Amino acid sequence: MDNSFNIVGKAVIRQDALEKVTGRAKFADDINEPGQLYGVMVRVPTVHATIDEIDYSELLRVKPDSIIVDSTDIKGSKKIGAIRQDQPIFSFDKIVTPGDVIAMLVGESEDELKSLSKKVKIKFTELPALTDPTRSLEPNAPKIHPQYESNLIVHYPLRKGDVEKGFKESDFIHEETYTTQLVEHAYIEPETVLAIPLEGNKGIKIIGSIQNPFTARKVVASVLNWPLTKVRIVQAELGGSFGGKDDTMNILSARAAVAALKIGKPIKIHYSREESILESYKRHPYILKYKVGCMKNGKIIAMKIDILADGGAYSSMSPFVTWRSVVQATGPYDIENVWTDVRAVYTNNPYTGAMRGFGSPQPIFAQESIMDEIAIKLNLTPDEFRRINGFKAGSFTASGQKLENHDVNLLDVLDTAIKETNFTSKWKEYKSKTSFNGYQLDKISDTNAEQLILKKKDYINPNKLLWKGIGLSISYRGCSLGAEGIDAAEAYLSVQNDGSAYLLSGLAENGQGMRTTHSIIAAEVLGISPDKIYYLETDTGLIPDSGPTVASRSTLMGGGAVKAASDILRNRFEDFLRLEWKLKSQSEFIFKDGFVSVNGNPQQKISFSDLCSLAYKNGICLAAIGWYKSPEVNWDEHTGQGSAYFTYVYGCQVAEVTVNIGTGQVYIDKITAVHNPGKVINLLGAEGQVYGGVTQGAGYGLWEQVTTDGGKIRELNFDQYLIPTAKDLKEIKPVFVEGKDVYGAWGGKSLGEPTLELTSAAIANAIRNATGKRFYNLPINLEELLLRRKLFPKDLKRGSS
Amino acid sequence: MIINFKINGKETLINLTKNKRLIDLLRDDLKLTGTKEGCSIGECGACTVIVNGKAVNSCLVLAQQVDECDVITVEGLAEGNKLSELQQNFLKYGAIQCGFCTPGMLMSAYALFLENPTPSREEIETAIEGNLCRCTGYKPIIQAITSTVSGE
Ligand code: FES
Ligand code: FES
């Protein structure tokens, strides 16, 4: 541990823990307004159709005073979207996916509204459903959004060197195809929003489980056709997000706002789990084709990658998600010749957008699986092969960026993981034991069902059912938004004359512990305890737009801004003390444990609270605004070359598993997660990110999948959508290898997403080590392991009835 | 129908409307919003409360079933402003991130202690297996409960 810090790097208890442990924390659905009404959605049971007529006559006959809100009530933008405005607040021309909403009924009783919603008669003409993304770009494929030329949402090419020449010069070529599945964020709190019209001309206030208050504000203002200032978004305590409470929440906010203004009353919308899974966006399924040219000595000299991402019915964040994929698709390997194409396409499937990882878990699963296959071919251990090709200081990325100005400690991270787990000897031992040839269940198909009867050769000795395996994966990850967008954040720090302080940054607390991290940074600079800092409520009316809380940027960017604000105040205090105590201009101070003293003269000191009151009496301004802007980055859209991100973090995870080859079950014995987050600010928070991220990553690797039947989702609740429970991962070990960095606050960078992106690949490699078999399709569930395919019920019927 | 029950130690008389779930009685009528709803089908455990010493999913229980019962919710865990040891350990070991699962987790752990003051790690895992948490990866939660047993 670094002794020069008082608080940074130690385990600090979350500031909001007390409310949360007593049930007093107010999540969106815990907040109610007198006289509030509820909004209930009207949907159509179809996947793809044109809307011919929306007929409310029967509804109005049953209940003449029904309050109906639909697209005709929208004065501003009827469709929204970050890049392409293709997603309607209320559908009016087409249905493109089953989550689409035609109208909202408003009233006092949700139950009554739900039954009334069936009285809305919608005439529609069914269109052929497009559910296979590989067909999206065929000339005769149904067009999801006819206003665009094709179903292509975005195409990113990346061209470096001469890939064909590289393949020609290679000693051998290795080609494989991988697929990943659609998954749900599964935050435990479903979506809720409350829109409150303010008196007079003051506009509207919206409180909700909103991940990105500034994006929500922009959407609501454009839908209402109002100036931004009249829309105030207040974030309630957020019950998990993981990238998931963005677009969906913006749209729900807009629906609630339109309704609230139409009838002049507060409107609450809160989703059931089924509605949440039905309508919210998910993580992109990818199809990934890799071709790798390698030399006998283990050096990779060429890589060709073709990735197809299913964007589903709306473009949402697809252009950003897939951009990260094109930057990072080779993995952390210095390769001279690279040719990558990443495409995202429309289908009628549930739409896909931001989810923790953001375009990295998919390529990492493919690329790290392939790295192991090539290592095995070359008779190298997985770590030896990665050492040959892995990034070092001064290496060049696929986009031609030289890695410099930060600690490029990928190989340190790898070595730490290898030592920590005794990787190499375990890997060799488990590998040598692997051989079960008679085991051919995956050759059985429905058409030769007689083969389902196991033969003698299929018999497995019950004592030999359990096979152990170990596997690793490594990654690099660009921090923050990169060339995706403008990257800056603000923080406001206001010290009171008793030495306590208000703090607020323009980024949002999504449950990750950002408020505590930011408070630690300010407390460290001012030498006070973090509990002296009161973190204000996130409110778009109080702080400038600091961009979205995504891309693991809250510590790096927000932390940088908090540090800047704190430094401004500290300098002001120091200048004041020099005058007050008649010190030389070069004299220095120590801010520690609530006291400020002169460096070298500990007798001359003052308590921080006395200092504040003295400064206040002398008319010193005790508030400051800090701003942190990222260094320049650049990108050439045509060649995919440029400095994509201003800094990177590195990680390595090792999975140790036991596979039951009789049942197909994979037990996770231990995941060792070694990460370089730059500087750890709050150890408790950092470890928490690892535990949580690894667990989500394991769910992605082994169990989680949203499937559709003709475009309709099968898994609408946690009885069918299986996320990890307390029993599913035996042990998780976080290890931090800190880097010496200059960015943000003392080099504190990113951690939240790296923890998730590596896990499924490490598990897949461990299963390979245990069984001798490579699995190409996530999740590697029982059926995949035994049969190499997924089994689904024939229809959407649930239960035994 | 009128029911009479104890909520966090307080005798309460309530006139119920028909078919009300326990969770709605707690959240809407009694304004005890610490109890959360995450799935409504008994899968996530966010709504866990204690009825006569047993952990139940309040989304699956009809309010009238708690007539003459002793109900404890997360609001009843602390004594005044003094947190219970279990709550303190949740703080200390980082068992809370977003905190949405926390009330249910606490109640499942509390019910376990009522039944078995010295549970093993495996018994702890089984007791909270029905409580889903998407943020913490469970390890800090298990640690917090284990430490409460050992009195660390
Ligand atoms: S809400 Fe009751 S178990 Fe999920
Ligand atoms: S802390 Fe977020 S679900 Fe458990």
Side-chain angles (χ1 to χ4, degrees):
Chain A
M1 187 169 294
D2 189 337
N3 290 324
S4 58
F5 288 102
N6 296 315
I7 315 156
V8 164
K10 306 205 169 82
V12 176
I13 291 172
R14 296 175 65 97
Q15 288 192 322
D16 53 13
L18 185 69
E19 303 96 271
K20 287 178 174 172
V21 87
T22 50
R24 277 182 243 147
K26 291 277 177 263
F27 293 84
D29 200 22
D30 303 336
I31 301 166
N32 294 295
E33 272 287 298
Q36 81 191 15
L37 300 176
Y38 291 93
V40 163
M41 306 304 147
V42 180
R43 297 195 176 85
V44 198
T46 183
V47 177
H48 194 193
T50 48
I51 302 168
D52 302 325
E53 195 194 338
I54 308 172
D55 177 3
Y56 298 111
S57 57
E58 194 183 336
L59 170 72
L60 291 169
R61 195 176 50 74
V62 183
K63 192 172 167 26
D65 59 346
S66 288
I67 306 170
I68 304 160
V69 183
D70 65 13
S71 77
T72 58
D73 295 300
I74 294 178
K75 309 229 161 49
S77 320
K78 288 185 193 288
K79 291 188 178 183
I80 57 130
I83 300 271
R84 282 184 173 184
Q85 287 68 53
D86 58 7
Q87 185 167 16
I89 302 296
F90 293 107
S91 300
F92 52 92
D93 50 356
K94 276 189 85 176
I95 298 292
V96 292
T97 195
D100 283 348
V101 169
I102 304 264
M104 183 167 85
L105 303 187
V106 174
E108 273 170 29
S109 152
E110 285 181 286
D111 287 344
E112 189 193 354
L113 293 171
K114 270 179 200 148
S115 60
L116 283 172
S117 70
K118 303 199 178 74
K119 305 275 181 246
V120 180
K121 297 291 169 232
I122 296 143
K123 295 206 187 85
F124 57 89
T125 311
E126 296 248 22
L127 298 168
L130 173 63
T131 55
D132 177 359
T134 62
R135 288 196 39 229
S136 288
L137 298 179
E138 288 174 4
N140 56 351
K143 257 197 220 161
I144 308 299
H145 297 285
Q147 67 268 39
Y148 301 114
E149 223 171 88
S150 78
N151 289 324
L152 183 69
I153 297 172
V154 74
H155 170 209
Y156 292 115
L158 180 149
R159 313 284 182 246
K160 179 191 181 192
D162 182 342
V163 82
E164 288 313 322
K165 186 163 154 273
F167 285 135
K168 252 184 234 130
E169 289 167 3
S170 299
D171 287 333
F172 66 95
I173 302 237
H174 191 91
E175 271 183 274
E176 278 174 356
T177 299
Y178 288 81
T179 70
T180 67
Q181 78 281 33
L182 186 69
V183 299
E184 159 67 27
H185 302 80
Y187 27 77
I188 308 297
E189 175 205 36
E191 297 79 355
T192 298
V193 68
L194 175 63
I196 307 160
L198 301 175
E199 69 278 13
N201 200 20
K202 283 201 184 137
I204 193 159
K205 179 173 166 185
I206 293 169
I207 307 172
S209 48
I210 294 166
Q211 179 188 327
N212 295 319
F214 290 101
T215 325
R217 180 178 69 158
K218 195 168 134 204
V219 167
V220 173
S222 93
V223 169
L224 298 178
N225 202 12
W226 272 10
L228 292 170
T229 44
K230 281 177 74 180
V231 180
R232 250 177 106 168
I233 309 276
V234 176
Q235 193 195 29
E237 212 57 72
L238 201 59
S241 181
F242 319 111
K245 285 174 178 161
D246 192 10
D247 313 38
T248 319
M249 283 314 304
N250 305 338
I251 289 171
L252 285 187
S253 299
R255 286 182 197 148
V258 170
L261 293 173
K262 178 169 179 175
I263 54 179
K265 285 196 176 155
I267 301 291
K268 185 185 240 190
I269 302 172
H270 76 119
Y271 270 4
S272 65
R273 176 61 53 187
E274 285 80 4
E275 269 188 301
S276 169
I277 295 187
L278 175 65
E279 191 179 326
S280 71
Y281 54 95
K282 323 235 173 286
R283 182 185 290 147
H284 294 73
Y286 275 26
I287 300 168
L288 310 107
K289 297 192 174 134
Y290 276 72
K291 180 175 176 184
V292 184
C294 193
M295 304 306 289
K296 276 199 207 102
N297 64 8
K299 183 82 195 121
I300 299 171
I301 59 168
M303 194 182 270
K304 191 168 183 184
I305 305 164
D306 186 67
I307 292 175
L308 183 68
D310 184 356
Y314 299 111
S315 59
S316 175
M317 298 301 248
S318 286
F320 298 119
V321 172
T322 51
W323 182 74
R324 186 174 282 276
S325 304
V326 80
V327 176
Q328 295 176 180
T330 57
Y333 305 107
D334 197 337
I335 303 166
E336 216 182 301
N337 307 293
V338 182
W339 175 290
T340 307
D341 288 292
V342 181
R343 290 178 183 84
V345 294
Y346 286 124
T347 61
N348 292 114
N349 292 324
Y351 75 111
T352 47
M355 182 170 173
R356 191 176 190 178
F358 206 80
S360 72
Q362 302 95 329
I364 290 175
F365 165 63
Q367 129 238 326
E368 288 303 278
S369 296
I370 290 165
M371 288 300 135
D372 263 27
E373 287 310 307
I374 300 178
I376 292 165
K377 231 186 208 175
L378 285 164
N379 216 359
L380 293 171
T381 62
D383 52 310
E384 282 167 343
F385 182 54
R386 284 172 176 82
R387 254 181 231 112
I388 296 172
N389 296 289
F391 285 151
K392 298 145 195 108
S395 292
F396 285 89
T397 67
S399 72
Q401 179 176 5
K402 188 171 178 191
L403 293 172
E404 53 187 359
N405 298 330
H406 69 279
D407 220 341
V408 187
N409 56 2
L410 174 74
L411 296 185
D412 280 352
V413 166
L414 172 67
D415 288 340
T416 307
I418 296 294
K419 275 195 212 107
E420 182 72 38
T421 55
N422 197 6
F423 181 87
T424 316
S425 65
K426 282 184 192 163
W427 188 81
K428 284 183 181 157
E429 182 200 332
Y430 300 151
K431 183 168 174 274
S432 67
K433 288 200 177 145
T434 313
S435 65
F436 45 95
N437 298 325
Y439 185 63
Q440 299 278 331
L441 277 183
D442 49 322
K443 300 271 153 33
I444 300 170
S445 68
D446 295 338
T447 47
N448 57 0
E450 73 276 9
Q451 287 187 20
L452 282 171
I453 302 162
L454 297 184
K455 313 273 155 33
K456 207 167 198 163
K457 67 171 175 46
D458 298 318
Y459 174 80
I460 312 166
N461 181 339
N463 299 323
K464 290 197 176 155
L465 282 175
L466 299 179
W467 297 68
K468 281 199 177 303
I470 189 168
L472 67 78
S473 60
I474 61 175
S475 74
Y476 80 124
R477 183 178 184 90
C479 296
S480 200
L481 303 176
E484 275 177 73
I486 304 144
D487 206 357
E490 201 209 65
Y492 166 73
L493 178 64
S494 169
V495 177
Q496 309 303 300
N497 45 21
D498 66 350
S500 61
Y502 286 123
L503 177 62
L504 181 62
S505 82
L507 295 168
E509 171 69 59
N510 296 332
Q512 79 278 44
M514 181 200 78
R515 289 186 289 229
T516 311
T517 303
H518 286 179
S519 298
I520 291 172
I521 292 168
E524 181 73 44
V525 174
L526 299 178
I528 57 178
S529 159
D531 55 26
K532 285 264 184 271
I533 292 172
Y534 184 101
Y535 205 96
L536 293 166
E537 189 176 59
T538 299
D539 179 330
T540 54
L542 300 180
I543 189 95
D545 188 346
S546 298
T549 305
V550 298
S552 303
R553 68 192 280 272
S554 65
T555 300
L556 174 61
M557 301 302 296
V562 171
K563 174 128 190 320
S566 312
D567 284 339
I568 292 173
L569 280 188
R570 177 163 166 158
N571 288 337
R572 220 176 268 163
F573 281 128
E574 293 188 350
D575 287 345
F576 170 69
L577 277 181
R578 283 189 197 103
L579 272 179
E580 190 69 18
W581 288 347
K582 305 195 173 51
L583 299 170
K584 292 205 189 83
S585 63
Q586 66 272 35
S587 49
E588 287 178 0
F589 297 87
I590 295 170
F591 284 62
K592 197 177 169 176
D593 301 333
F595 284 90
V596 181
S597 60
V598 177
N599 197 3
N601 181 11
Q603 303 314 331
Q604 190 156 24
K605 70 171 176 179
I606 182 171
S607 74
F608 186 73
S609 53
D610 288 348
L611 170 60
C612 292
S613 116
L614 196 63
Y616 176 76
K617 281 184 199 139
N618 281 276
I620 305 289
C621 169
L622 297 184
I625 283 174
W627 188 254
Y628 190 76
K629 187 181 171 308
S630 70
E632 287 305 314
V633 283
N634 60 76
W635 187 257
D636 181 327
E637 291 271 336
H638 303 288
T639 60
Q641 295 295 291
S643 302
Y645 297 93
F646 65 89
T647 188
Y648 293 84
V649 290
Y650 304 90
C652 174
Q653 289 187 0
V654 175
E656 294 174 66
V657 304
T658 303
V659 182
N660 183 326
I661 55 157
T663 62
Q665 180 131 5
V666 177
Y667 301 91
I668 297 177
D669 301 324
K670 185 172 180 183
I671 306 275
T672 305
V674 185
H675 291 278
N676 155 36
K679 173 101 200 100
V680 173
I681 306 289
N682 181 5
L683 187 61
L684 203 57
E687 288 179 345
Q689 285 298 310
V690 175
Y691 294 129
V694 163
T695 305
Q696 283 184 17
Y700 185 54
L702 293 179
W703 306 291
E704 294 179 32
Q705 184 172 24
V706 171
T707 67
T708 52
D709 181 32
K712 294 189 184 129
I713 295 178
R714 290 193 181 92
E715 301 81 4
L716 286 170
N717 206 326
F718 291 132
D719 54 341
Q720 298 195 307
Y721 189 76
L722 303 182
I723 67 171
T725 71
K727 282 199 156 172
D728 289 324
L729 282 86
K730 230 188 238 155
E731 196 186 339
I732 301 169
K733 168 120 206 220
V735 180
F736 298 115
V737 178
E738 294 190 336
K740 288 174 270 323
D741 268 301
V742 294
Y743 302 107
W746 305 287
K749 299 196 284 190
S750 310
L751 183 62
E753 293 174 281
T755 60
L756 179 143
E757 64 188 13
L758 286 159
T759 319
S760 67
I763 292 173
N765 284 339
I767 295 173
R768 164 69 161 98
N769 184 232
T771 63
K773 294 186 181 189
R774 172 58 58 190
F775 294 92
Y776 302 93
N777 310 300
L778 289 184
I780 309 175
N781 57 10
L782 311 183
E783 298 91 336
E784 182 68 30
L785 211 123
L786 291 179
L787 308 173
R788 285 193 182 277
R789 62 198 162 109
K790 310 277 192 283
L791 301 178
F792 302 113
K794 281 224 169 69
D795 53 36
L796 290 171
K797 263 203 230 103
R798 292 158 67 107
S800 51
S801 60
Chain B
M1 124 178 229
I2 293 180
I3 61 164
N4 179 2
F5 69 110
K6 233 191 197 167
I7 175 80
N8 298 328
K10 244 185 34 214
E11 291 286 346
T12 311
L13 218 60
I14 286 266
N15 194 354
L16 280 184
T17 51
K18 233 173 61 194
N19 289 341
K20 191 185 282 276
R21 302 176 305 165
L22 177 56
I23 189 169
D24 300 324
L25 169 70
L26 295 171
R27 288 181 54 87
D28 300 346
D29 300 298
L30 301 173
K31 309 285 176 230
L32 294 170
T33 54
T35 303
K36 305 298 179 205
E37 183 162 11
C39 71
S40 325
I41 60 162
E43 287 289 335
C44 75
C47 65
T48 309
V49 298
I50 295 174
V51 178
N52 288 349
K54 295 246 181 291
V56 302
N57 290 326
S58 63
C59 70
L60 295 184
V61 173
L62 282 177
Q64 64 200 54
Q65 288 175 271
V66 302
D67 192 15
E68 304 292 321
C69 290
D70 189 350
V71 180
I72 308 173
T73 68
V74 67
E75 288 90 348
L77 278 187
E79 278 175 43
N81 272 335
K82 199 182 166 320
L83 297 184
S84 68
E85 202 187 329
L86 179 66
Q87 288 169 307
Q88 284 175 25
N89 282 333
F90 264 61
L91 261 57
K92 181 167 159 201
Y93 292 101
I96 304 154
Q97 284 187 33
C98 81
F100 198 77
C101 70
T102 309
M105 284 287 179
L106 285 166
M107 299 324 283
S108 289
Y110 187 79
L112 171 68
F113 287 143
L114 289 179
E115 215 157 88
N116 175 4
T118 54
S120 65
R121 186 186 163 106
E122 190 162 352
E123 286 166 327
I124 291 172
E125 287 176 3
T126 306
I128 60 164
E129 195 185 9
N131 292 81
L132 297 179
C133 174
R134 193 55 155 171
C135 306
T136 66
Y138 305 101
K139 299 301 165 215
I141 298 175
I142 296 167
Q143 170 85 59
I145 304 173
T146 315
S147 303
T148 310
V149 178
S150 60
E152 263 168 41

